[in-house]
Each structure stands twice: as C-alpha cells, then as structure tokens.
Amino acid sequence: MEIIKNESYYQLIPEKSDAMSAEESLENFYNSFKKNYANFKKINLILDFSNIINIDLNKILLFSPLSETQKSNNKSFVIVCSGIEFDQVPDEIVVVPTLKEAEDIIEMEDIERDLGI
C-alpha cells in the first residue's frame, strides 16, 4: 500500500503488480487497510483506486463499515474510482471519479464539521 501524506488527508493507493490481478490487488489492499486501520482513524482518508479498472461495486462496499466508523470519528472517507455506476452506490459511502473531487469533498466536510452541521 502506498501512502501519500497531505496536510489534510492521507491518500492510500493499492500497490500495482504485474503478477497480481486488479481483484487480488484490491483484496490485498483491503486486508492490509483493515489490519492497519487504527493508524488511519484520526485523519481524513482518500482510498485511490483510480489505477484499477473495472472494480466491482461489491468490492467497494466492503469498505462501507470502515467508512461509517471514520465518519463517526468526525473524519472524511472518500473512495476514488471510475467505471462504476455512481447512482448505485449507497449514501453511506462516498465514491467519486477523480482525486480533485475527493479533495473537494474533504474540504466541504471539514467546513461542515467546523460549522457544526
């Protein structure tokens, strides 16, 4: 897992490997992320799956409980991926097609938290 630390969030990216399929890469990422979640729960998170093509929505939904936990800790949790039907994604999890949109979501949610909304 590659971790890019930003001032207001961590961007977590699954490692790419020619020997691993996209599904295996995502599964390894999920297991590693879940095991190390305690290290990430106090900062806004962007899970960047933009380098994985054809992600199954069910794989994205695996992160839903962690998204809800993150939100209960007053931190943002945004997944970046393309190629899925965004209208089929439940409201409990935020999925956007670009990193810029993920950054915008975090900024908006930080403002809402500051205002007590």
Side-chain angles (χ1 to χ4, degrees), residues 12-13 20 24 27 31 38 44-45 52 62 83 95 98:
L12 309 175
I13 306 168
M20 220 182 301
E24 290 171 323
E27 187 174 319
N31 291 331
N44 297 316
L45 296 176
I52 301 176
L62 289 173
V95 181
T98 67

Side-chain angles (χ1 to χ4, degrees), residues 29-76:
F29 176 83
Y30 174 76
N31 291 331
S32 177
F33 176 74
K34 193 170 178 185
K35 184 172 85 173
N36 294 299
Y37 177 70
N39 299 324
F40 305 122
K41 66 182 179 182
K42 294 186 179 197
I43 189 150
N44 297 316
L45 296 176
I46 296 175
L47 306 187
D48 187 352
F49 301 150
S50 58
N51 61 353
I52 301 176
I53 299 170
N54 297 328
I55 296 177
D56 180 20
L57 179 59
N58 290 324
K59 297 291 183 194
I60 297 292
L61 295 178
L62 289 173
F63 294 91
S64 189
L66 296 169
S67 172
E68 291 180 31
T69 300
Q70 192 75 358
K71 288 179 183 183
S72 70
N73 291 331
N74 288 320
K75 294 298 175 188
S76 298

Side-chain angles (χ1 to χ4, degrees), residues 70-99:
Q70 192 75 358
K71 288 179 183 183
S72 70
N73 291 331
N74 288 320
K75 294 298 175 188
S76 298
F77 187 95
V78 184
I79 296 177
V80 177
C81 74
S82 57
I84 65 168
E85 297 291 328
F86 292 99
D87 58 336
Q88 294 180 357
V89 177
D91 292 337
E92 295 82 33
I93 192 162
V94 178
V95 181
V96 295
T98 67
L99 181 60

